[in-house]
Amino acid sequence: MKSAALPEEEKKKAVKDFNFGKGIAVALLAGFMSACFNIGLSFGKDLFLPGTKPIFQTLPATMLVTFGGFLTNAAYCFFQNSKNKTWGDYKKGNLWVNNLLFCCLAGLLWYSQFFGLSLGKGFLTNYPVLITFSWCILMALNVTFSNVWGIILKEWKGVSKKTIAVLVLGLIVLVFSTFLPQLMAN
């Protein structure tokens, strides 16, 4: 619905970049790797020092799992630097401050969501079904908040009220569905 509201030039640009096979492959890989991330956090849950407060006990595992993601992303970035011959961009001093600032901000936000996941699990100890679905809840909230920010930052500017209504309805269904298993368990 959002694409239908785009000007003709932007539609042509979007179609040029469209590749259904690559899109499905990336979506499947992302879903699989997301599950692996959660499995890594589960296997690493006992990596804390004795006497560590419960709220901080998942942080060592989170650091190790996110470090693995960092290495993968760094390797891919270096591959792209070689492929696109953009190694010289690192010499441009005017890019460093902005890029470093936003990289640090993105890393802080990314890491803090797992800190929030750990904190949230502490509140859900009496609800084993919600503990089981805590990763799904985190992912649903990621989608919800990113779309809300998209609305606030005018990413959806120019689309019809019907499109916004469908988006909001989808987000409501997503949030409701994250708590449906607990409601059904009662």
Side-chain angles (χ1 to χ4, degrees):
M1 291 175 77
K2 181 181 177 187
S3 297
L6 290 175
E8 200 60 39
E9 283 181 28
E10 289 186 39
K11 280 184 189 178
K12 287 179 183 176
K13 183 180 174 187
V15 169
K16 185 184 94 174
D17 295 335
F18 180 79
N19 185 322
F20 185 77
K22 276 187 184 177
I24 291 294
V26 168
L28 290 172
L29 181 64
F32 176 75
M33 295 310 289
S34 177
C36 290
F37 193 104
N38 190 36
I39 290 167
L41 293 178
S42 295
F43 275 107
K45 70 179 185 254
D46 298 325
L47 291 175
F48 60 90
L49 296 172
T52 304
K53 292 182 180 182
I55 190 172
F56 300 116
Q57 290 178 354
T58 62
L59 296 181
T62 303
M63 185 188 75
L64 288 173
V65 174
T66 54
F67 184 70
F70 165 76
L71 288 178
T72 304
N73 282 299
Y76 183 71
C77 286
F78 294 152
F79 166 75
Q80 288 293 324
N81 284 141
S82 294
K83 178 181 166 187
N84 298 322
K85 298 177 179 33
T86 54
W87 286 102
D89 288 351
Y90 293 106
K91 295 177 186 173
K92 297 177 182 173
N94 59 337
L95 300 177
W96 275 93
V97 174
N98 209 23
N99 286 339
L100 196 57
L101 174 72
F102 282 108
C103 284
C104 289
L105 179 62
L108 178 69
L109 290 172
W110 182 252
Y111 196 80
S112 67
Q113 74 177 330
F114 301 110
F115 186 77
L117 175 67
S118 173
L119 178 65
K121 283 182 176 181
F123 291 108
L124 300 174
T125 54
N126 295 331
Y127 305 99
V129 173
L130 285 181
I131 288 287
T132 304
F133 286 98
S134 61
W135 185 259
C136 299
I137 293 168
L138 174 66
M139 293 299 111
L141 290 174
N142 280 343
V143 170
T144 302
F145 289 124
S146 65
N147 277 291
V148 168
W149 273 111
I151 292 169
I152 292 169
L153 296 174
K154 309 278 191 254
E155 182 181 309
W156 293 85
K157 185 180 176 182
V159 300
S160 69
K161 288 183 181 182
K162 180 181 177 186
T163 302
I164 294 291
V166 169
L167 173 66
V168 170
L169 179 64
L171 294 176
I172 290 169
V173 168
L174 182 62
V175 170
F176 179 74
S177 69
T178 60
F179 297 102
L180 186 63
Q182 182 61 34
L183 296 173
M184 300 300 285
N186 287 335

